[in-house]
Amino acid sequence: MAFCQAPVPDFTTGLVATDCSGSAALAVTQTPVAGTLVGLGVTTVTLHVTDAANNESTCTATFTVTDNTPPLITTCATNQSAFADGRLPGGSA
């Protein structure tokens, strides 16, 4: 999985549509297509339903990608010390 991205799920499986043609198959697609990587935030997914006569209906749903990964520290600061009188080791103030 890409850094700070997630793949858009298949929204077409949750879509229910009917048409007056009854048994004719409806073509259902989505934009962006399932599997497309999107970044943090809200992405609008548009669902398209087309019948045999090329009539089309659309609706939208949202897909939200949230950052739940803590930052990764690759190098930590080194330990430091000082004398109680404010002098740093090595003689400087």
Side-chain angles (χ1 to χ4, degrees):
M1 184 175 305
F3 186 66
C4 291
Q5 293 182 324
V8 174
D10 185 356
F11 279 77
T12 64
T13 60
L15 180 87
V16 177
T18 59
D19 188 56
C20 69
S21 62
S23 62
L26 299 173
V28 180
T29 59
Q30 73 179 50
T31 305
V33 298
T36 301
L37 292 176
V38 295
L40 298 174
V42 177
T43 298
T44 300
V45 177
T46 303
L47 295 148
H48 309 268
V49 179
T50 307
D51 65 12
N54 280 331
N55 297 312
E56 182 182 36
S57 289
T58 62
C59 66
T60 59
T62 59
F63 176 58
T64 303
V65 178
T66 305
D67 181 358
N68 67 339
T69 304
L72 175 65
I73 298 171
T74 55
T75 304
C76 195
T78 58
N79 296 331
Q80 299 183 34
S81 63
F83 294 117
D85 63 3
R87 290 184 303 123
L88 297 175
S92 58

